[in-house]
Amino acid sequence: MSADCLFCKIVAGDIPSTEVFRDGRVMAFEDIHPAAPQHILVVPLEHVGMLASATERHEALIGHMVIVADGIAAERGVQNSGYRLTVNQGTDSGQEVEHLHLHITGGRKLGPIA
Ligand code: 5GP
Ligand code: ZN
C-alpha cells in the first residue's frame, strides 16, 4: 500500500467504492465519473504506480487484469456488443491516478481512439 494513493485507499476500504469484483490479486469498482453506460476500473491490490513502473514480475498480474475485465464485460452484457479496455500512461494520456488501472467502457457505440 502506498500511503497517499487514492486507489490503495479504495482497495483497503478506507474510501468507499461500488465494488464489482475482488479476488486475491485484483479488485474492480465502478468509475465515479462514468464515461459510458458501463465504466468499471480494474486495479491490482498491490500498488503499481503506472504501466511504466511495471516489470516482468507483473506480467501474470496484468494478464489477470485483462481476463478479469473480459469476465466483467460478459457479466455486464457488453462482451458481445463490444467494449474497450484502456490504460492511461502519463501526462499526454490524461492519467490522473498513479495506481495502475484498466478502464472497461461499453454499453454504447464508442468513438474512434484519439
Ligand atoms: P485515469 O485518468 O487516471 O486513467 O483514470 C482515473 C479514473 O478514476 C477516472 O476515470 C476517474 O473518474 C476515476 N476516479 C477518480 N477518483 C475516483 C474515486 O474516488 N472513486 C472512483 N470510483 N473513481 C474515481
Ligand atoms: Zn496505490
Side-chain angles (χ1 to χ4, degrees):
M1 170 151 182
S2 177
D4 290 332
C5 174
L6 176 66
F7 286 175
C8 280
K9 288 177 184 162
I10 286 179
V11 165
D14 295 338
I15 291 177
S17 71
T18 305
E19 186 171 324
V20 301
F21 180 87
R22 183 187 285 261
D23 67 11
R25 290 182 280 172
V26 303
M27 172 188 173
F29 52 92
E30 303 276 359
D31 195 292
I32 204 165
H33 297 304
Q38 299 293 334
H39 189 169
I40 294 156
L41 303 173
V42 183
V43 306
L45 300 187
E46 88 170 86
H47 180 82
V48 180
M50 54 199 336
L51 206 50
S53 44
T55 68
E56 274 183 30
R57 184 173 76 77
H58 300 101
E59 279 182 1
L61 177 63
I62 292 169
H64 185 59
M65 288 169 67
V66 173
I67 297 300
V68 163
D70 183 64
I72 292 169
E75 272 177 20
R76 293 299 176 104
V78 298
Q79 191 188 46
N80 289 334
S81 54
Y83 66 92
R84 184 171 288 156
L85 299 183
T86 308
V87 176
N88 287 324
Q89 162 58 46
T91 309
D92 280 358
S93 74
Q95 182 180 9
E96 288 172 5
V97 179
E98 288 199 13
H99 178 126
L100 182 63
H101 52 281
L102 203 52
H103 294 255
I104 308 169
T105 48
R108 65 168 168 79
K109 194 121 182 123
L110 301 167
I113 294 174

